Amino acid sequence: MNAHLQPSGSAYFLSAETQKPERHTLSVLVDNEPGILARIVGLFAARGYNIDSLTVSETEHEKHLSRITVVTVATPKVLLQIKLQLERLVPVHKVYDLTADGKALERELALVKVAGTGDQRVETLRLADAFRAQVVDATTESFVFEVTGKPSKIDSFIALMVPLGLVEVVRTGLAAISRGAEGM
């Protein structure tokens, strides 16, 4: 005897009806108050949603508002559920799907430490120049570069640094904003 699960409102019962997961960048405008970040991250964790990138900053000091930028991968149905659940949180003023709008600018910053000597140092500097990476620290054995741009640019730079002596990488997470004269 086959038992069939009945679909419910839970994301765990959403069928895979040929919907492919997509990467989306959400911008969430919230009151800048203690615990709001924990509540938003808890919402994702409790429901099994993954966060690929997360950045937070106060954006309107006099209004005590912060912007949380969340990058997640989800099917359209799950994404809709994420947005609806975020909108239900009391200190959330607005949830904006920058990916759906299609006109977003996305940038990230990374600090990349590379160790090497001789010809490797010369090649490291040549590639850093090609990527417009800035040297923010230099010793006789290593460099620390600051590189900004789209995540794919940073990924490419890091991949090229691996054979040249990549030591470590620190990334800020994605910062995103919509184009045009309209605000959030």
Side-chain angles (χ1 to χ4, degrees), residues 1 38 60-61 83 129:
M1 184 169 163
E60 297 182 47
H61 184 70
K83 291 191 291 190
D129 186 53

Side-chain angles (χ1 to χ4, degrees), residues 12-82:
Y12 299 109
F13 291 99
L14 293 176
S15 65
E17 308 168 350
T18 69
Q19 288 192 336
K20 285 179 39 179
E22 301 170 351
R23 178 186 171 276
H24 279 261
T25 303
L26 303 176
S27 190
V28 185
L29 191 63
V30 299
D31 287 337
N32 186 12
E33 62 182 43
I36 183 59
L37 180 60
R39 290 177 63 198
I40 288 177
V41 170
L43 182 147
F44 275 78
R47 289 157 181 85
Y49 306 146
N50 190 42
I51 295 174
D52 289 347
S53 175
L54 177 69
T55 56
V56 184
S57 179
E58 185 174 60
T59 56
E60 297 182 47
H61 184 70
E62 47 301 325
K63 293 181 182 178
H64 302 288
L65 295 177
S66 290
R67 182 179 289 208
I68 300 173
T69 305
V70 180
V71 178
T72 190
V73 176
T75 64
K77 281 186 178 180
V78 170
L79 184 69
L80 176 62
Q81 197 168 51
I82 290 170

Side-chain angles (χ1 to χ4, degrees), residues 128-147:
D129 186 53
F131 278 81
R132 295 188 177 110
Q134 302 297 310
V135 176
V136 293
D137 185 59
T139 68
T140 55
E141 296 91 27
S142 68
F143 292 110
V144 175
F145 297 103
E146 175 186 301
V147 59

